[in-house]
Amino acid sequence: MKNFTFDTSDGVIRAATLSKDVEFAGIDARLDGTTCVLENVRALSDHLRTDLLRELYGKLEDRLFDAGAGIVETYALREDIELFEALGFANVAVGSLTEPPRYKMAKNLIFKGCDFLTGADAEAVLIRQPFTANKPKKATLYYGCFGFSDFFINGRAVTEAVMTPPWSNYERRDLSGSAYPIADKMSLSAYYMECDVTDLLTDGANCIAAHVGAGWYGTKHPRTEDMPVWGKIKCAFKLVLSYENSGELVIRSDARTAETKESWIKATRTHAGEIHNTEEYDPEWNLPGRPCGFVPAAAAETPVTFWRKWDFDPDLITGTAEPRLIHELGDRRVYDLGAQHSGRAVVKFLSNTFDDVAVVRYSEEINDDFTLDYDSTGGTRRIQRDVFICSPEADKLELKPVFNWHAGRYIEVSGNAEVVSFEDIHTDLKQAAVFSSSSPELQWLADAYVRTELMNVHGCVPSDCPHRERLGYTGDGQLSCRAVMRFFDSRKMYLKWMRDIADCQDIFNGHVQHTAPFYGGGGGPGGWGGAVCIVPLAYYDVYGDDVLLCEYFDNMRRYIDYMVMRSENGLVVAEEKQGWCLGDWCEPSEPDILPEPFVNTYFLIRCIRDFLRACDITGRTEEKPLAQKRLAEAEAALKATYRGADGSFLGGKNGADAYALDIGLGGDDLLGFLKEKYERLGEFDTGIFGTDILIRVLCRHGMGDLARKLLTSHGKNSFYNMQRHGATTLWEYWNGAHSHCHPMFG
């Protein structure tokens, strides 16, 4: 028998417990506004101790919630992390720089008392919960979902945003089945939406409803590098009704009153597409009083994650494009959008022939016989394809994917259907700058870059391509971040994406994954992981705001610690065992590429330099001596290993001298080598990092004319080579291999 007492003297909510077998005292909960910090949690490792703490904390959390706490935080020692996870706390930061390090863990109580509702083991489900209430003065809906969702009140959508909430690291999952070993312990975040739904409520019978699709959380095919599915899709919500004279009424998701059934969308796969059976579509499924064959919903286990409010730019339908019919033969029609687009085609059946099927496919390129060329979007293994099954009422419907976007220029429809329009979809970034030039090559480059970047931003994640992989590669993202910040008002986007990067950093050793949110993908320790240092400093330089440098200072330091741990004789020589360790990427002279240790040590030096600036900007100058020592060691190692007798690095191949100049390892002689080589060559021989570095170094050292010569070159490794082939977006490779919509060279 356990007896609990709560001492609230001196402004602290203090809890203690005594039992016959175990004496335990010690949670101090300090409440500051709506954030509560737990202190003095004394942990024992035995099972009885954990059960006691769980029971004690549960009672304390109820008290804190009643007192107005919204977020509970603690700073745990490494040996206590699992204990707090058992209480529902999630890791939210790398270890502190103190000894021993402490790990910030947090729990948002936004969905306290709410069931996480789930239904059939399907890729899309319908969930509804009827309730009765008087129309309030104000109504606010909070909802979270593991997957993508559309929420409705009385049949009306609660937001214009699509594919909400945006994806994140969600919750812990077993990564042992992935293509290469992944042992990192990452931080966990999920996003909830807050919507004013006052105008959607009525007096009497009401209904809140959710259409939930797999999204990134539950997508099953295909999966990059065998990334496991997180779990079964689920959602939770809280509807707060405020009345002028009678306080509040809170409606929470409740498995006892909620009902569910499988959606008419039978497959929703992030890379592949959707399958719709329109015979099962009921336009009134989300209205009050329409059970429509629903069965009681089930309550899923409450996920262990930290819920963050989504207050960034949403994904929206940002415009439309007019498809032009360019080929018709039998029941097959091919359309041209005139340029690359990211979004979804709107399709309509021409008649209501029962069980007729319309198949919609997308590609970037087309063959001479008007068949679609899928090579650049992943080949026939990854065709973007939606399937719509006809029903007696289908000819009255405009059909389109709900939880997915596609990308390309050409659309093929087979079956008794036609494309009536195309909806552009991406994160709603507002363009903040325009570029105008008398040079047709430079004008094309700027226009193609803007189109490429917009097509690649979904859920405030800057992706590598909008079709084949769709992942937030940290390498591609850090390369283009300054261009994004200058062309667009992207402040909010980088606040979100830096959280994704930080969530994908191992909390113990500082390793940063190659994609954020993490979903597999190859890369290297420097050009990819270095985003954790490069993006915050770019944000400061462009926007004059140190918010990212302050928030992620420890992440920057931990990343540098990691790179040093992976070094031998001052050079970065490895990343994770049996994993990737790239240097530059997409160099035209493969396999004669720059050595990986050269490139990765360049990034170590660059990131230490960025970190030293961060020390000065944030006032944390106590970290400078160690960073300066590491900088000197890495610079000496790079020069000793790769600088030749004439002073050139690696003979200047693939922009190597530009790398050295960019981090201050050369003078006028090296500038002379660089100028002579590229005036003679007249085109690029560089990969994604080398191209960025080369142009930057030339401009910084007064050689803008030479930079212009390269940017407008008509050589085989040039932007003009893309332009002359009719491209409207930037290619992944200089020679046109693979994706034709990659922003990294931009």
Side-chain angles (χ1 to χ4, degrees):
M1 182 69 179
K2 308 177 187 72
N3 299 308
F4 295 91
T5 61
F6 292 85
D7 176 10
T8 57
S9 60
D10 62 29
V12 176
I13 301 175
R14 182 172 290 105
T17 181
L18 297 172
S19 77
K20 181 178 179 180
D21 302 316
V22 177
E23 181 172 334
F24 162 69
I27 300 180
D28 292 346
R30 300 189 177 274
L31 189 59
D32 180 11
T34 60
T35 299
C36 174
V37 179
L38 301 186
E39 299 172 339
N40 301 325
V41 181
R42 303 180 182 93
L44 302 176
S45 59
D46 61 273
H47 182 70
L48 176 62
R49 173 65 180 80
T50 303
D51 284 349
L52 280 171
L53 181 60
R54 190 194 302 270
E55 189 170 352
L56 173 61
Y57 173 74
K59 292 180 178 293
L60 175 59
E61 184 177 282
D62 290 341
R63 290 287 187 93
L64 294 171
F65 187 71
D66 292 341
I71 294 174
V72 186
E73 298 176 347
T74 192
Y75 293 84
L77 294 171
R78 182 167 182 165
E79 57 265 28
D80 294 337
I81 288 176
E82 287 188 10
L83 184 142
F84 280 102
E85 288 176 335
L87 301 178
F89 285 77
N91 294 106
V92 294
V94 294
S96 66
L97 301 182
T98 60
E99 287 298 335
R102 291 184 176 271
Y103 300 89
K104 185 177 180 181
M105 304 187 73
K107 184 177 185 179
N108 193 328
L109 306 182
I110 184 68
F111 294 121
K112 183 175 176 62
C114 301
D115 287 335
F116 279 81
L117 303 174
T118 189
D121 188 13
E123 295 185 29
V125 296
L126 307 176
I127 296 173
R128 46 179 278 139
Q129 185 170 314
F131 64 94
T132 301
N134 295 324
K135 186 173 176 62
K137 179 180 179 182
K138 182 178 175 65
T140 306
L141 174 68
Y142 305 86
Y143 71 89
C145 172
F146 280 14
F148 285 147
S149 61
D150 287 334
F151 265 73
F152 305 87
I153 300 285
N154 297 330
R156 296 167 62 188
V158 304
T159 176
E160 293 181 351
V162 296
M163 284 167 276
T164 64
W167 63 311
S168 64
N169 248 21
Y170 296 119
E171 61 179 341
R172 195 78 62 211
R173 56 180 165 158
D174 181 4
L175 295 170
S176 61
S178 56
Y180 55 90
I182 300 168
D184 289 12
K185 188 173 184 65
M186 298 174 234
S187 298
L188 304 172
S189 293
Y191 290 92
Y192 70 88
M193 310 290 287
E194 178 181 336
C195 302
D196 185 337
V197 295
T198 308
D199 294 340
L200 306 185
L201 274 292
T202 62
D203 281 328
N206 291 272
C207 182
I208 181 170
H211 191 184
V212 184
W216 289 99
Y217 182 80
T219 191
K220 297 179 180 178
H221 171 79
R223 305 196 311 273
T224 302
E225 294 170 343
D226 300 323
M227 285 291 104
V229 176
W230 264 281
K232 192 175 179 181
I233 54 178
K234 48 186 171 281
C235 69
F237 59 82
K238 179 174 69 175
L239 179 62
V240 180
L241 309 179
S242 301
Y243 295 92
E244 194 158 3
N245 298 317
S246 56
E248 289 184 345
L249 173 64
V250 180
I251 309 294
R252 293 183 171 88
S253 47
D254 187 344
R256 295 171 300 178
T257 57
E259 49 199 16
T260 182
K261 76 172 183 177
E262 186 176 349
S263 168
W264 66 90
I265 302 179
K266 300 305 176 183
T268 169
R269 296 164 182 178
T270 306
H271 292 82
E274 298 185 354
I275 299 174
H276 293 216
N277 183 357
T278 65
E279 185 179 5
E280 297 183 19
Y281 175 68
D282 177 0
E284 298 183 338
W285 72 272
N286 49 18
L287 296 176
R290 291 280 303 191
C292 311
F294 282 72
V295 298
E301 185 175 350
T302 300
V304 176
T305 191
F306 182 69
W307 289 99
R308 299 179 185 275
K309 180 181 176 181
W310 177 254
D311 53 4
F312 309 119
D313 299 311
D315 277 24
L316 295 174
I317 300 171
T318 59
T320 58
E322 294 301 322
R324 180 172 63 90
L325 182 64
I326 60 172
H327 179 74
E328 184 172 8
L329 181 64
D331 68 350
R332 180 176 169 272
R333 297 171 178 83
V334 180
Y335 298 84
D336 182 359
L337 295 174
Q340 295 267 39
H341 286 265
S342 174
R344 58 195 181 192
V346 181
V347 177
K348 195 168 186 179
F349 278 103
L350 297 173
S351 65
N352 59 350
T353 306
F354 187 72
D355 274 351
D356 198 1
V357 174
V359 180
V360 185
R361 299 178 178 88
Y362 301 77
S363 74
E364 293 182 314
E365 305 295 343
I366 196 168
N367 298 312
D368 291 340
D369 62 355
F370 293 99
T371 57
L372 301 192
D373 180 349
Y374 301 113
D375 284 350
S376 67
T377 54
T380 55
R381 189 175 67 89
R382 284 200 173 184
I383 294 175
Q384 303 170 90
R385 171 175 46 208
D386 297 314
V387 178
F388 302 99
I389 302 171
C390 194
S391 68
E393 299 294 318
D395 61 328
K396 301 176 184 177
L397 303 175
E398 289 191 343
L399 304 169
K400 56 189 177 184
V402 175
F403 302 116
N404 201 1
W405 71 88
H406 298 295
R409 174 172 175 170
Y410 300 97
I411 305 170
E412 175 195 87
V413 179
S414 59
N416 191 27
E418 63 179 352
V419 177
V420 295
S421 66
F422 184 92
E423 297 175 344
D424 288 308
I425 295 175
H426 54 74
T427 298
D428 189 30
L429 294 183
K430 303 300 184 186
Q431 194 162 339
V434 295
F435 178 85
S436 179
S437 174
S438 59
S439 164
E441 293 90 351
L442 291 180
Q443 190 64 58
W444 177 89
L445 175 56
D447 293 343
Y449 166 71
V450 168
R451 177 178 291 275
T452 305
E453 195 63 64
L454 285 175
M455 287 179 61
N456 271 285
V457 180
H458 295 270
C460 280
V461 175
S463 69
D464 65 321
C465 61
H467 35 57
R468 191 184 76 223
E469 292 181 274
R470 308 177 175 216
L471 302 180
Y473 275 94
T474 45
D476 303 56
Q478 66 87 357
L479 264 174
S480 61
C481 70
R482 287 178 184 262
V484 177
M485 292 174 193
R486 290 181 173 125
F487 269 102
F488 306 98
D489 182 0
S490 53
R491 291 173 175 85
K492 290 184 176 181
M493 183 180 88
Y494 284 105
L495 292 177
K496 191 269 183 182
W497 194 52
M498 266 307 300
R499 167 49 50 198
D500 292 332
I501 294 172
D503 280 354
C504 295
Q505 185 172 22
D506 185 274
I507 66 171
F508 300 132
N509 69 17
H511 176 236
V512 176
Q513 290 291 347
H514 304 141
T515 57
F518 178 57
Y519 204 79
W528 284 260
V532 77
C533 296
I534 294 169
V535 174
L537 196 65
Y539 196 89
Y540 175 79
D541 286 341
V542 176
Y543 293 132
D545 190 341
D546 65 359
V547 60
L548 295 183
L549 291 173
C550 292
E551 185 169 355
Y552 299 108
F553 185 90
D554 287 3
N555 299 78
M556 297 172 71
R557 161 65 191 279
R558 287 297 187 199
Y559 167 74
I560 293 169
D561 291 346
Y562 175 83
M563 292 277 276
V564 171
M565 285 191 298
R566 295 300 187 268
S567 299
E568 293 179 5
N569 301 318
L571 299 176
V572 181
V573 297
E575 194 172 352
E576 292 301 276
K577 188 177 181 180
Q578 298 179 327
W580 293 77
C581 189
L582 296 179
D584 206 343
W585 185 239
C586 298
E587 293 169 272
S589 56
E590 293 180 279
D592 183 25
I593 61 175
L594 292 176
E596 286 85 356
F598 174 82
V599 176
N600 286 307
T601 306
Y602 156 86
F603 275 107
L604 172 59
I605 294 169
R606 180 175 168 185
C607 288
I608 294 175
R609 287 172 170 266
D610 287 352
F611 181 70
L612 286 168
R613 284 191 62 197
C615 290
D616 290 331
I617 293 166
T618 63
R620 296 183 63 173
T621 55
E622 73 279 2
E623 296 292 335
K624 291 182 69 173
L626 176 59
Q628 289 166 335
K629 177 178 180 292
R630 289 170 163 179
L631 177 64
E633 292 171 350
E635 288 177 340
L638 203 71
K639 289 188 288 187
T641 308
Y642 296 110
R643 186 168 64 177
D646 62 353
S648 176
F649 285 75
L650 292 165
K653 76 172 183 177
N654 296 22
D657 287 337
Y659 278 83
L661 286 161
D662 192 46
I663 51 177
L665 299 187
D668 290 343
D669 288 348
L670 200 58
L671 276 172
F673 293 146
L674 192 72
K675 181 178 180 182
E676 187 279 329
K677 173 186 173 176
Y678 285 101
E679 283 183 340
R680 172 174 41 83
L681 184 63
E683 64 176 313
F684 292 107
D685 65 343
T686 45
I688 60 174
F689 303 128
T691 300
D692 170 60
I693 294 165
L694 174 60
I695 294 299
R696 181 169 63 249
V697 166
L698 291 176
C699 292
R700 183 189 300 157
H701 291 281
M703 291 185 277
D705 288 343
L706 180 52
R708 179 190 176 105
K709 179 180 178 179
L710 296 177
L711 291 170
T712 61
S713 168
H714 285 203
K716 64 178 181 178
N717 300 323
S718 69
F719 292 107
Y720 176 77
N721 187 47
M722 306 177 194
Q723 180 185 359
R724 75 183 183 88
H725 282 89
T728 59
T729 47
L730 301 180
W731 291 352
E732 180 179 9
Y733 283 82
W734 293 116
N735 64 5
H738 304 307
S739 164
H740 287 180
C741 188
H742 255 66
M744 58 193 186
F745 274 118

